[in-house]
Amino acid sequence: MSKFVFIYHAPMTPAEAAPPSPDDMAAVMGEWNAWGAKVGDRLVDFGTPLANGVRVASDGSTAPSQREVAGYSILEADNLDAAVELAKVHPHLNMPGGCEIEVHEAQEIPGM
């Protein structure tokens, strides 16, 4: 099995969004936890919301230029197709604003 990193994109970070009501938050987390239960032991790191991203380059630092990175998860899957299938049923895609998930396969470092 390979490890895959899910990068969650949203129009804004969770910190920038209006705070949800406790009932709305419980409903959203219920959907995320149900997805996590479906992934089971293959969920290596459930992840966390992210905020205040800065792009660092050799010529300086800037704010990210594309949609905000809102969070991440790390999981194991047999292959990229299997990881993409898990992303397709992730509740993040149902959040307002046209949220997206980027799926990346973690590669082994040569010589390590």
Side-chain angles (χ1 to χ4, degrees):
M1 265 201 227
S2 296
K3 288 184 182 171
F4 293 86
V5 179
F6 282 21
I7 306 292
Y8 304 114
H9 293 276
M12 63 185 72
T13 67
E16 297 167 328
S21 72
D23 288 343
D24 289 343
M25 183 57 131
V28 168
M29 287 312 300
E31 291 176 10
W32 279 66
N33 288 328
W35 178 84
K38 178 179 180 172
V39 177
D41 291 343
R42 296 172 294 161
L43 189 57
V44 175
D45 183 347
F46 191 82
T48 185
L50 300 172
N52 302 320
V54 175
R55 185 178 308 263
V56 178
S58 60
D59 60 352
S61 299
T62 62
S65 60
Q66 298 179 343
R67 297 175 60 85
E68 289 291 332
V69 173
Y72 76 95
S73 294
I74 301 172
L75 58 105
E76 293 179 326
D78 290 332
N79 53 47
L80 180 60
D81 291 337
V84 168
E85 289 305 310
L86 289 169
K88 286 179 180 179
V89 296
H90 196 291
H92 180 73
L93 298 178
N94 300 326
M95 295 179 72
C99 295
E100 301 168 340
I101 302 172
E102 242 180 278
V103 179
H104 294 270
E105 184 175 4
Q107 299 289 296
E108 291 186 29
I109 299 173
M112 301 286 295

